[in-house]
Amino acid sequence: MPRPGRLALLPSLLSLAPSLLGTGCGLDSFVDSELGDAPRCAEVDRWPVASADAEDELLDALEELRQAGAECEGEVVDGVGPLEPIPTLQCAARLHAGDLVRHPEHALGHEGTDGRSALARVNAAGYDGIARHELLAGDYAAADALVEAWRGNEAHCKAVLDRDLDHVGVAQAQSPTGDRIVWVVVTGQERG
């Protein structure tokens, strides 16, 4: 049974210069246009169906929160526009989620086990917009519970409701035994 969730947020990427398949539950295969065609994205072009379904649920929950707005630690933030899922951000999010699940000895954090930062992952995936936020969470079993936790944390709430955002990529990965669940959301905005 998952432990109460842990949260982490990389406030702004601008301020910073595969084996997940043991469950036998099936794979959600993507083509380049769905995930990005950077060489690093080949590592995550096949993903467990349960995780891909959880990613869709997270996208829906994020959009509901963005449309409704929220009170972020006493400050009312009005609803904002929708986010467009972008294949390269999806790739960057999956790369990190998969890395963190494969290495449970590595604390939930923004630096990968290879030393790469969130910005380095976004660049390696080929994103051509402006990377803005990376939100992390561990051990939340459901997307709705995760979004509710982010809503209750001022920094995460404001990051999700950032009106300058245009793009999003989400990932959910879990260990074959289900005892480690990692969620990653990477956001960005269009240039100019």
Side-chain angles (χ1 to χ4, degrees):
M1 174 158 208
R3 299 179 304 276
R6 296 182 309 271
L7 301 174
L9 167 72
L10 183 59
S12 172
L13 296 174
L14 297 174
S15 67
L16 299 174
S19 172
L20 299 172
L21 308 177
T23 62
C25 294
L27 297 173
D28 187 12
S29 296
F30 288 87
V31 295
D32 290 348
S33 63
E34 294 175 304
L35 197 58
D37 58 3
R40 292 272 320 215
C41 296
E43 296 175 35
V44 293
D45 67 348
R46 294 169 43 96
W47 207 247
V49 169
S51 289
D53 289 346
E55 293 168 355
D56 289 341
E57 291 170 13
L58 180 56
L59 281 171
D60 290 344
L62 289 170
E63 286 308 310
E64 286 177 25
L65 177 59
R66 284 182 60 83
Q67 287 178 5
E71 185 175 317
C72 301
E73 294 290 318
E75 181 182 336
V76 175
V77 180
D78 293 330
V80 292
L83 296 175
E84 177 185 357
I86 297 293
T88 52
L89 293 180
Q90 179 90 0
C91 170
R94 281 186 171 183
L95 286 169
H96 195 44
D99 181 43
L100 291 172
V101 163
R102 283 191 307 275
H103 299 281
E105 72 283 0
H106 192 74
L108 183 69
H110 298 285
E111 183 176 298
T113 59
D114 61 1
R116 285 181 185 244
S117 68
L119 184 57
R121 285 187 295 278
V122 168
N123 287 338
Y127 181 60
D128 62 2
I130 301 167
R132 292 296 304 272
H133 307 283
E134 179 181 77
L135 293 88
L136 306 176
D139 299 327
Y140 283 88
D144 288 338
L146 170 58
V147 170
E148 190 58 34
W150 280 343
R151 182 179 174 197
N153 175 283
E154 182 177 14
H156 289 85
C157 184
K158 287 182 177 179
V160 170
L161 294 171
D162 183 342
R163 69 181 58 259
D164 293 329
L165 300 179
D166 300 301
H167 304 141
V168 67
V170 302
Q172 190 260 29
Q174 56 185 297
S175 65
T177 59
D179 63 338
R180 182 164 170 99
I181 299 171
V182 174
W183 299 85
V184 178
V185 174
V186 181
T187 62
Q189 77 183 81
E190 291 184 18
R191 291 192 182 272

